[in-house]
Amino acid sequence: MIKRLLVANRGEIARRVFRACRDLGIGTVAVHSDPDAGAPHVREADVAGRLPGAAPADTYLASALLLDVARRAGADAVHPGYGFLSENADFARAVIDAGLVWVGPPPAAIAAMGSKIEAKKLMAAAGVPVLPELDPARVAAEDLPLLVKASAGGGGRGMRVVRDAADLAEAVAGARREAESAFGDPTVFCEPLLERARHIEVQVLADAHGTVWTLGERECSIQRRHQKIVEEAPSPAVGPELRAALCGAAADAARAIGYVGAGTVEFMLAPDGRFFFLEVNTRLQVEHPVTECVYGVDLVRLQIEIAEGARLPDAAPEPRGHAIEVRLYAEDPALDWRPASGTLHTFEVPGVDAEFAVPAGSAGSGLRLDSGVESGAEVGVHYDPMLAKVIAWAPTRRAAARRLAAGLRGARVHGLTTNRDLLVRVLEEPGFLDGETDTGYLDRIGLDVLAAPLADDEAVRVSALAAALAAAAAERASARVLGGLPSGWRNVRSQPQRRAYEGPSGTVEVDYVFGRDGLVSELCPGVSLVSATPSEVVLDRGGLRETFAVATAGVAVHVDSRFGPVALTAVPRFADPSDRIAPGSLLAPMPGTVVRVETEAGATVAEGQTLLVLEAMKMEHRIAAPSAGTVAELNVGAGRQVEAGAVLAVIEGTPE
């Protein structure tokens, strides 16, 4: 029996494992890098051990440090979570050699699936359908389009789509570079790209006594940069016959490698109904909550009990209802999914029925939140930018989508740009609701539609007015003498009160006055004020009362209403000349490391041309020229660390 378990991970998955441990009466040990010292998972553990440093290689990937913390904390078991060392056979062996219980599959099973190239050969021998492997050095024109993949990779890293033979060399080089950085192994291979295919995976659970469960399929087709952002169970494209075939193939794959514990067998499902093996994830998946909700199981608890030697019942439980999960990321979909870092001032999701557990709603539905952050958290650049997973479970797929969209719409997420608006638009998009999803969904619908803010221009204007009225209320509340009249009140119509905010589409000038007829604003004609406090403004618009929640953090102002969230920045009345930046300056959008530079001072560049590549949050980001011109200054070189806002280059416009 396990008495004290160390989670060799961080954030949301560490909290998830700790929740299962508390239910089982098992003591918990957390580990943390220096940036994570104040993280929720650290506070929730019985004991926490420091991993000095910030970079993953120095902390969560440092096997010796993790085992030293386990020894000093008296842990007798290790759960790897997902990511980091969760699929590292050497780490699993080291845990077992140290006399600890490894809550995961046998090291031999991990090693067998550690190379995608070798895994495909094993699966083919076991009778599981596989796509042919293509040698990057021998690709012919008829092999296109194709996918370049990292053999040791996962999570979309080290993956490139190639449609033109001229792009192959750069795609292979980029995939190798990213694979080396993420996994320490630059080996890549190619395989045919299935157009309009779906990404389908089967949850497997096996004990050490020969019982193998398959808990249905999950659809994970909606992806950005080959990383999943929306997952659901069951798939709207899979019927009973196909489900039986998928689950049978997954069980064969698990038995072929002597699998024990929780794992996932991933497939690509072609439009004609054929499916092909992708990989086995020898760990718990990020999207495991949708399976838990549909099958009413606790996969982490079962992982732990299997590691203790327990037997699974002969038959898996029956499914019920439908579950959809979305991954809430700190990123901007409209700017090539640029990750965001900084302070998360407010993080609140209304209507949550359970955290890290299956909602126990009497109507067979509920909203679940699995999050590694909370209000006030600092989101850094060293780790994945996922903030939380929000999951809805309901009797039908459409009911689950509606519940999830409503929860996201009402969430208060302040301080960082996120993909929340895009997730809501996906959940409400007609094609998605009809089950028409595949790996090309985002490109087919278009980010111009899906990444558009929920709040339209009118909503931004009225939200800016609400922000101005809240600011005036705050000033009145802090004034020494209160006259009992609203700020801006005039007995005789005079100059209006003015404030300015930077909004999603530029500057919003707010003007208003109070007279005998109440509030008058040219920005929002016909709107009257019902009440205003520093945190809430109620306006009457055409006889309908609307409430606006206002939160201020420095110059940042966040307004939440039924029209959608609006993030504003208060513009000071008098600009500081020292804040001005030279025209044509190309600023670093985030802290990171310059991987390579593709231009030089004095070069002529075209608008949109890649100038350099920046690595941050485990991904490479291309920095392009904002306009055509000449590189007048180039301030960085390969290997250079840069801070957000640093001037990378200056582009001078080409004279007409």
Side-chain angles (χ1 to χ4, degrees):
M1 299 292 289
I2 295 171
K3 294 181 179 178
R4 183 170 295 169
L5 182 146
L6 178 144
V7 178
N9 219 297
R10 65 180 294 277
E12 166 262 327
I13 185 55
R15 300 183 75 191
R16 169 68 185 90
V17 177
F18 291 160
R19 201 274 302 164
C21 287
R22 287 194 296 272
D23 290 347
L24 289 166
I26 295 173
T28 55
V29 181
V31 290
H32 67 87
S33 63
D34 290 338
D36 281 342
H41 81 273
V42 176
R43 297 197 308 271
E44 291 174 2
D46 299 326
V47 183
R50 179 186 175 221
L51 305 173
D58 301 327
T59 54
Y60 298 106
L61 292 172
S63 301
L65 290 180
L66 294 166
L67 291 174
D68 180 61
V69 173
R71 177 187 58 79
R72 290 187 289 113
D76 56 356
V78 173
H79 191 301
Y82 46 69
F84 296 125
L85 294 171
S86 62
E87 294 181 279
N88 186 302
D90 291 337
F91 180 58
R93 292 190 191 99
V95 169
I96 295 169
D97 290 346
L100 306 176
V101 175
W102 169 250
V103 184
I110 299 175
M113 296 294 102
S115 164
K116 286 186 174 66
I117 295 174
E118 296 305 315
K120 291 177 71 170
K121 294 176 181 177
L122 276 172
M123 292 301 106
V128 179
V130 299
L131 284 168
E133 176 194 336
L134 305 172
D135 183 343
R138 294 187 176 132
V139 168
E142 57 267 24
D143 295 323
L144 300 173
L146 57 77
L147 202 57
V148 182
K149 301 176 73 172
S151 180
R157 296 179 181 91
M159 191 177 293
R160 302 287 191 278
V161 173
V162 179
R163 299 183 183 278
D164 189 321
D167 299 329
L168 179 62
E170 172 54 30
V172 170
R176 282 179 173 152
R177 210 168 37 243
E178 198 167 274
E180 173 70 31
S181 173
F183 314 113
D185 182 349
T187 306
V188 300
F189 67 99
C190 300
E191 65 183 20
L193 175 68
L194 293 179
E195 303 280 14
R196 298 297 297 264
R198 294 174 184 258
H199 188 133
I200 305 291
E201 60 189 31
V202 175
Q203 176 70 56
V204 298
L205 195 67
D207 63 24
H209 309 285
T211 300
V212 177
W213 280 3
T214 55
L215 296 173
E217 84 285 347
R218 296 186 287 254
E219 170 140 351
C220 312
S221 298
I222 299 181
Q223 304 175 5
R224 57 95 168 104
R225 289 184 165 181
H226 308 291
Q227 291 182 319
K228 307 160 189 172
I229 58 172
V230 181
E231 300 109 337
E232 59 182 304
S235 166
V238 176
E241 186 176 339
L242 179 55
R243 181 169 298 116
L246 285 163
C247 289
D252 290 343
R255 292 190 179 99
I257 58 175
Y259 203 83
V260 175
T264 301
V265 185
E266 302 199 349
F267 301 94
M268 291 302 291
L269 176 62
D272 62 7
R274 294 178 302 151
F275 62 88
F276 302 93
F277 171 82
L278 273 181
E279 62 182 336
V280 175
N281 292 122
T282 54
R283 54 171 168 82
L284 196 68
Q285 288 279 78
V286 177
E287 56 271 21
H288 74 273
V290 293
T291 297
E292 291 187 323
C293 289
V294 169
Y295 282 84
V297 297
D298 183 332
L299 289 173
V300 176
R301 179 173 184 148
L302 289 168
Q303 277 187 299
I304 294 170
E305 291 175 342
I306 288 170
E308 292 179 322
R311 290 177 179 269
L312 289 171
D314 291 338
E318 292 296 318
R320 49 186 185 143
H322 200 100
I324 305 175
E325 170 184 295
V326 294
R327 303 189 193 187
L328 184 66
Y329 280 100
E331 64 183 13
D332 191 342
L335 293 177
D336 196 25
W337 310 97
R338 179 185 295 171
S341 60
T343 303
L344 183 64
H345 298 296
T346 307
F347 182 68
E348 299 171 358
V349 181
V352 170
D353 299 292
E355 294 189 40
F356 304 103
V358 175
S362 59
S365 64
L367 195 66
R368 168 174 169 171
L369 176 67
D370 287 19
S371 175
V373 299
E374 57 190 13
S375 295
E378 289 293 326
V379 177
V381 298
H382 299 287
Y383 315 115
D384 188 275
M386 188 176 77
L387 302 177
K389 303 177 313 196
V390 189
I391 308 99
W393 169 53
T396 67
R397 185 173 182 271
R398 282 181 174 261
R402 182 166 59 185
R403 178 71 185 272
L404 186 51
L408 289 170
R409 274 186 175 275
R412 302 184 72 202
V413 187
H414 301 163
L416 295 174
T417 301
T418 74
N419 66 338
R420 184 258 302 273
D421 289 13
L422 174 133
L423 295 174
V424 172
R425 291 200 179 278
V426 167
L427 292 167
E428 296 177 345
E429 194 271 320
F432 172 83
L433 292 174
D434 288 339
E436 297 171 358
T437 58
D438 56 59
T439 53
Y441 173 84
L442 293 181
D443 290 335
R444 189 172 69 255
I445 305 302
L447 289 183
D448 57 333
V449 174
L450 296 174
L454 293 175
D456 59 18
D457 290 343
E458 181 183 0
V460 170
R461 291 194 296 271
V462 72
S463 295
L465 176 60
L469 294 169
E475 291 170 355
R476 290 198 307 276
S478 62
R480 286 191 171 190
V481 179
L482 298 179
L485 295 175
S487 176
W489 186 91
R490 296 289 187 272
N491 185 41
V492 178
R493 182 78 176 263
S494 182
Q495 293 298 312
Q497 297 292 304
R498 297 186 185 278
R499 295 180 189 269
Y501 297 93
E502 288 298 329
S505 302
T507 304
V508 183
E509 298 279 354
V510 181
D511 63 286
Y512 67 91
V513 295
F514 285 100
R516 291 186 175 88
D517 296 326
L519 175 70
V520 178
S521 172
E522 293 183 8
L523 181 68
C524 302
V527 173
S528 61
L529 176 65
V530 178
S531 64
T533 70
S535 60
E536 182 180 277
V537 173
V538 181
L539 300 176
D540 185 299
R541 303 175 70 236
L544 299 175
R545 290 192 177 190
E546 307 281 3
T547 301
F548 299 81
V550 183
T552 302
V555 295
V557 184
H558 296 272
V559 183
D560 293 287
S561 72
R562 72 177 183 90
F563 304 104
V566 176
L568 303 167
T569 302
V571 177
R573 293 186 178 182
F574 306 102
D576 186 344
S578 65
D579 290 340
R580 293 176 183 169
I581 298 172
S585 295
L586 186 63
L587 307 182
M590 69 205 82
T593 302
V594 177
V595 176
R596 70 181 187 278
V597 178
E598 298 186 0
T599 189
E600 59 185 10
T604 300
V605 296
E607 181 179 351
Q609 178 180 332
T610 299
L611 303 184
L612 56 93
V613 177
L614 193 66
E615 183 180 68
M617 292 184 174
K618 301 184 180 181
M619 299 292 289
E620 288 189 356
H621 306 275
R622 294 180 174 273
I623 308 300
S627 59
T630 302
V631 181
E633 293 181 25
L634 186 62
N635 302 322
V636 294
R640 168 94 175 266
Q641 295 278 340
V642 297
E643 295 298 321
V647 178
L648 305 174
V650 177
I651 310 298
E652 291 184 350
T654 302
E656 296 185 5

